[in-house]
């Protein structure tokens, strides 16, 4: 395998959920936003926005939404939003029909942009000695989050990112064998799938048993099965909420 500073950084990623009591500086925050802004952006439309949560009350509310109370101890918190509202202003100022901005295609473009910007922030933060966790659980109560952030039409929250100085370095979480996720030319479930999965289950089980915090007995297969049983009722309104923000999903 090849090595360089960036490749090593990428392959040493782990989510950080315990932080030292130190806030990020304005310069650090601006540097992260700049890293996000230089990510690829679909059709060069820059259809995302980033909101920093600076107020303790807002962080507390987000902690309630996500169930992650530890986010209140982070050194900085971003919410990344799919955003066609800004481009709606340009369409309206030029008397152009903005219908396209409401389509599923443009909703997804905003989600792609927001997601790629989020990963740029994470990698940039890690390169600065920081760590953090990307959070999809901000979608546990989108109506409440949309109100909290005063999100206008044609915007939708995509991911949160809690960042800070790591208080501990968790063990690296093992990933599936490469042959199980990378195929040539067409999709093929590998012929070694069962044997690979069994070996990987053992690897994940060792990881969970040996890790310093929150250790437990769990294989990857168990994890996937317990994910299927999770109560997702909170997110049952997701499509309705997306439509209420003015996107036409049909
Ligand atoms: C889209 C997305 C959403 C995530 N949402 C959450 C979340 O809500 N809460 C959380 O604790 N971790 C969340 N994570 C982090 C994953 O749990 C984590 O990346 C995964 O377990 C692998 O662990 P690692 O990042 O330490 O390698 C999310 C990651 C992604 C990419």
């Amino acid at each position: 395998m090849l090595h360089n500073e960036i490749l090593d950084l990428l392959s040493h990623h782990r989510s950080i959920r315990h932080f030292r009591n130190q806030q990020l500086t304005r310069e650090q925050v601006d540097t992260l936003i700049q890293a996000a802004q230089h990510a690829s952006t679909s059709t060069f439309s820059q259809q995302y926005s980033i909101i920093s949560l600076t107020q303790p009350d807002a962080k507390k509310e987000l902690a309630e939404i996500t169930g992650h109370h530890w986010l209140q101890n982070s050194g900085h918190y971003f919410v990344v939003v799919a955003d066609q509202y800004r481009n709606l202003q340009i369409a309206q100022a030029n008397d152009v029909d903005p219908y396209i901005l409401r389509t599923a295609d443009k909703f997804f473009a905003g989600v792609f942009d927001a997601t790629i910007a989020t990963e740029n922030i994470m990698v940039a933060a890690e390169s600065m000695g920081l760590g953090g966790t990307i959070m999809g659980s901000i979608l546990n109560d989108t109506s409440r989050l949309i109100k909290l952030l005063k999100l206008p039409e044609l915007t939708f929250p995509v991911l949160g990112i809690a960042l800070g100085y790591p208080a501990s370095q968790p063990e690296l979480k093992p990933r599936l064998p490469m042959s199980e996720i990378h195929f040539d030319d067409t999709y093929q479930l590998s012929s070694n799938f069962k044997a690979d999965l069994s070996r990987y289950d053992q690897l994940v089980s060792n990881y969970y048993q040996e890790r310093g915090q929150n250790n437990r007995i769990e294989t990857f297969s168990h994890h996937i099965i317990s994910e299927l049983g999770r109560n997702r009722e909170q997110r049952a309104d997701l499509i309705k909420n997306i439509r209420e923000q003015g996107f036409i999903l049909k």
Side-chain angles (χ1 to χ4, degrees):
M1 213 68 84
L2 300 173
H3 284 283
N4 64 35
E5 221 179 305
I6 294 174
L7 294 172
D8 291 346
L9 182 80
L10 290 172
S11 54
H12 283 86
H13 158 81
R14 61 264 274 168
S15 295
I16 300 295
R17 299 181 175 86
H18 297 96
F19 301 103
R20 298 203 323 250
N21 183 16
Q22 190 174 345
Q23 295 299 300
L24 269 61
T25 63
R26 188 75 230 176
E27 188 184 22
Q28 284 173 313
V29 171
D30 287 347
T31 304
L32 294 172
I33 299 293
Q34 177 174 272
Q37 285 201 276
H38 284 282
S40 297
T41 160
S42 175
T43 64
F44 185 41
S45 296
Q46 304 184 62
Q47 49 227 313
Y48 67 95
S49 290
I50 303 170
I51 299 176
S52 282
L53 280 197
T54 64
Q55 300 302 314
D57 282 356
K59 285 189 195 163
K60 187 165 175 280
E61 199 165 337
L62 197 67
E64 286 167 13
I65 291 171
T66 59
H68 292 330
H69 291 274
W70 51 265
L71 74 80
Q72 295 171 92
N73 303 325
S74 61
H76 200 82
Y77 199 94
F78 294 117
V79 179
V80 188
V81 174
D83 183 1
Q84 299 293 358
Y85 179 74
R86 188 169 43 245
N87 291 341
L88 175 66
Q89 310 310 302
I90 297 174
Q92 287 173 341
N94 289 278
D95 283 329
V96 177
D97 181 359
Y99 173 80
I100 291 286
L101 297 179
R102 299 186 181 279
T103 59
D105 180 37
K106 289 296 175 188
F107 172 74
F108 280 116
V111 172
F112 299 145
D113 276 9
T115 307
I116 290 169
T118 299
E119 181 61 8
N120 261 27
I121 290 178
M122 179 57 77
V123 173
E126 289 173 347
S127 79
M128 290 154 59
L130 302 166
T133 295
I134 292 174
M135 277 185 205
S137 44
I138 64 167
L139 297 181
N140 285 352
D141 190 343
T142 23
S143 313
R144 192 170 169 196
L145 183 60
I146 286 166
K147 243 183 246 146
L148 176 69
L149 302 178
K150 299 193 167 63
L151 294 184
E153 66 167 331
L154 295 189
T155 59
F156 201 76
V158 177
L159 290 166
I161 321 171
L163 292 174
Y165 289 89
S168 57
Q169 271 298 334
E171 292 77 4
L172 212 55
K173 224 181 207 178
R175 299 302 204 248
L176 281 161
M178 217 180 268
S179 56
E180 292 300 337
I181 63 129
H182 177 216
F183 320 121
D184 282 341
D185 302 317
T186 57
Y187 187 94
Q188 308 147 44
L189 191 63
S190 122
S191 52
N192 294 326
F193 177 62
K194 271 194 174 164
D196 276 353
L197 182 63
S198 154
R199 259 193 308 272
Y200 183 60
D201 273 341
Q202 191 56 54
L203 208 62
V204 170
S205 169
N206 295 346
Y207 158 81
Y208 277 121
Q209 279 181 64
E210 286 163 18
R211 73 179 187 177
Q213 276 154 349
N214 190 19
N215 52 347
R216 55 182 185 263
I217 296 177
E218 185 166 78
T219 65
F220 183 67
S221 298
H222 283 141
H223 167 67
I224 295 300
I225 287 160
S226 66
E227 281 292 305
L228 299 180
R230 254 166 75 168
N231 177 7
R232 290 281 178 187
E233 215 159 277
Q234 308 133 308
R235 301 198 194 178
D237 282 346
L238 212 49
I239 296 289
K240 179 173 151 275
N241 291 326
I242 294 168
R243 289 192 177 124
E244 279 173 6
Q245 287 300 99
F247 291 101
I248 301 162
L249 296 190
K250 55 180 182 187

